[in-house]
Amino acid sequence: MPQDERAYLMRYPDVNGYYGRFGGNHYPPEVWPALAELASTYQALRDTPDFQHVLEKVRIGLQGRPTPIHYLENTTQEVGGARIFVKREDLNHTGAHKINHCVGFALLARKMGKRKLIAETGAGQHGVALATAAAYFGLECEIHMGEVDIEKQRSNVGRMRLLGAQVVAATAGQSALKEASDSAFNAYVEQRDHALYAIGSAIGPHPFPMIVRDLQSVVGREARGQFLSLSGGSLPDHVVACLAGGSNAMGMYAGFLDEPNVILHAVEPLGKSDQPGEHAATLSFGSPGTLHGAQSVVLQNEDGTPTLVSSVASGLVYPGVGPEIAMLHEVDRLNVASISDEQVISTFFRISKAEGIIPALESCHALAFAIELARQTPSSESILVNLSGRGDKDVDYVLTNYGTGDSRSS
Ligand SMILES: Cc1ncc(COP(=O)(O)O)c(C=O)c1O
């Protein structure tokens, strides 16, 4: 691991799991011992040759890492301006970046003598990735998913079941990602003696945001080295990631956080409009609050309950962000942008037709922003986007609701 990246990763969180004023452990006291055990096991294992060796072996053989960086030449020429590159996390086995941290959680579960992994999922990408890691390591797997998402992301539900996971429907409230997280957490509290909660993003109480970030940092580490060699020694001017809890963003940023000349962009879902309940743009419209066991920035009503949220991308329908993202925003290290559902769908069609890559709707937020940015930026500059997942899971939904996009462009 390069010293620069290491320097940042070792600075945060503090001993109590805080990133500035965000983070901590705000879960009920009955789970504190289980979280403390997870934190100490992880600290003891993270740098051991055995842990790193198994991780490396699985990343190469099962996941297909390293994923390449690819130049979006057709789109760059069509748009004009800065050159757009993508880090192909969509080429991971199971189709998204989520498997980067799922494999690590499965390894930790085995070391801790747990026989089961529990998690929530929105788009189903985390659920499929965790079910895959559980199958590989011989663990049971229980995935909680909002009823709305079970219907929308049917193919991923089928994949989880094929891989041996039990899929539990979350039916409260909006029946989406937040409710799936509530449901998964309750299941974990009941089963914590034999199960490990393998959270789906860089959210939740300490030590989850740290573990997810560290395991995802392989993305930024690889991307940095690959970009330096393809550009003859320079770094990208802009690094772009879509944002829900922040696992793909933190993973990608980890390679560039100590580089003040690299501008980091976080792209949120503007959904149908900027009105409350019609988007999930937490950093743009939220305020400090507590969600899923951590102090962070939350989209909340006056009484502190999370607001309704909306996005065409199930994986972004979440009323909060991880605590480290909240800190980076507060210290002005992040530029925050938002992209509407309409722009997302146009980008889905555009990248599919121009590049031969069908991107996940979540990743289309980052791509749509990168295209806008490229238009306003000189051709001497470069933009590196985390293409966090592939859009296979979205094909049925898009075809049914928007057709094939033959008469659209962005
Ligand atoms: C492909 C893809 N990208 C991005 C996300 C957003 O999550 P995060 O902010 O944790 O990267 C998801 C969540 O399901 C996803 O499936």
Side-chain angles (χ1 to χ4, degrees):
M1 194 181 282
Q3 279 310 310
D4 283 356
E5 182 195 335
R6 185 85 194 170
Y8 175 85
L9 296 186
M10 297 311 280
R11 269 203 309 278
Y12 296 102
D14 69 16
V15 285
N16 298 314
Y18 276 88
Y19 305 83
R21 66 175 164 140
F22 301 111
N25 174 6
H26 298 264
Y27 262 168
E30 71 253 38
V31 289
W32 292 355
L35 295 180
E37 185 200 0
L38 174 61
S40 60
T41 308
Y42 175 69
Q43 296 285 8
L45 284 179
R46 66 195 259 180
D47 292 329
T48 60
D50 178 39
F51 187 76
Q52 290 300 331
H53 171 75
V54 180
L55 213 53
E56 183 71 5
K57 189 182 79 175
V58 179
R59 281 176 173 162
I60 294 169
L62 184 73
Q63 276 186 247
R65 298 207 75 88
T67 58
I69 283 186
H70 176 61
Y71 176 36
L72 294 190
E73 192 168 1
N74 299 334
T75 305
T76 299
Q77 277 176 7
E78 208 180 291
V79 172
R83 288 166 306 147
I84 305 174
F85 296 84
V86 286
K87 174 67 170 159
R88 298 287 314 270
E89 288 302 293
D90 60 315
L91 292 181
N92 266 301
H93 178 47
T94 74
H97 67 291
K98 299 285 184 184
I99 196 163
N100 295 327
H101 69 265
C102 289
V103 165
F105 272 115
L107 246 179
L108 281 169
R110 259 208 346 204
K111 297 277 182 195
M112 295 169 76
K114 309 285 184 192
R115 64 167 195 267
K116 187 177 198 176
L117 293 167
I118 297 179
E120 74 290 342
T121 194
Q125 289 304 129
H126 180 65
V128 171
L130 195 66
T132 299
Y136 178 82
F137 284 101
L139 298 164
E140 296 168 34
C141 186
E142 180 179 313
I143 302 294
H144 294 247
M145 192 169 186
E147 224 171 19
V148 169
D149 294 331
I150 288 181
E151 179 55 28
K152 187 171 164 191
Q153 313 279 194
R154 268 194 304 269
S155 62
N156 271 347
V157 176
R159 291 165 79 200
M160 285 182 255
R161 290 190 172 131
L162 278 171
L163 290 159
Q166 182 196 356
V167 180
V168 179
T171 53
Q174 276 194 285
S175 301
L177 183 53
K178 181 201 160 284
E179 292 75 20
S181 301
D182 297 337
S183 172
F185 171 65
N186 291 337
Y188 167 65
V189 172
E190 278 169 26
Q191 302 178 58
R192 63 188 185 281
D193 56 330
H194 64 268
L196 178 64
Y197 189 14
I199 206 158
S201 189
I203 57 170
H206 181 66
F208 289 116
M210 174 184 73
I211 296 177
V212 171
R213 174 204 66 190
D214 288 358
L215 293 167
Q216 288 291 343
S217 69
V218 65
V219 179
R221 184 160 64 246
E222 277 178 15
R224 182 191 171 96
Q226 290 166 325
F227 201 90
L228 283 170
S229 47
L230 78 80
S231 67
S234 29
L235 290 170
D237 300 283
H238 303 268
V239 166
V240 181
C242 67
L243 179 66
S247 63
N248 89 95
M250 280 314 309
M252 186 62 149
Y253 299 161
F256 304 95
L257 271 161
D258 276 332
E259 298 289 350
N261 294 331
V262 178
I263 303 175
L264 306 177
H265 303 268
V267 189
E268 304 195 304
L270 191 56
K272 299 189 190 75
S273 82
D274 61 4
Q275 293 305 300
E278 303 222 312
H279 62 79
T282 304
L283 292 178
S284 306
F285 300 104
S287 52
T290 305
L291 183 65
H292 291 135
Q295 181 72 19
S296 189
V297 174
V298 183
L299 284 169
Q300 53 195 325
N301 301 305
E302 277 181 8
D303 64 359
T305 54
T307 64
L308 298 179
V309 272
S310 174
S311 168
V312 72
S314 296
L316 304 186
V317 183
Y318 187 68
V321 293
E324 192 163 14
I325 291 281
M327 177 199 74
L328 291 173
H329 179 238
E330 189 163 78
V331 301
D332 281 338
R333 184 65 183 94
L334 290 187
N335 173 52
V336 177
S338 55
I339 289 290
S340 70
D341 286 350
E342 179 71 27
Q343 290 168 290
V344 164
I345 296 298
S346 294
T347 305
F348 183 85
F349 291 135
R350 172 178 209 146
I351 298 295
S352 301
K353 288 178 178 20
E355 301 288 351
I357 297 171
I358 301 178
L361 292 175
E362 291 79 10
S363 319
C364 286
H365 287 76
L367 290 164
F369 171 75
I371 290 170
E372 275 186 5
L373 180 65
R375 273 201 191 104
Q376 303 155 18
T377 310
S379 57
S380 54
E381 295 196 7
S382 53
I383 302 171
L384 176 60
V385 181
N386 192 357
L387 176 39
S388 55
R390 69 176 89 119
D392 304 25
K393 66 183 177 56
D394 301 311
V395 167
D396 286 351
Y397 173 78
V398 172
L399 287 176
T400 307
N401 293 281
Y402 301 94
T404 54
D406 290 329
S407 59
R408 303 170 76 102
S409 65
S410 64

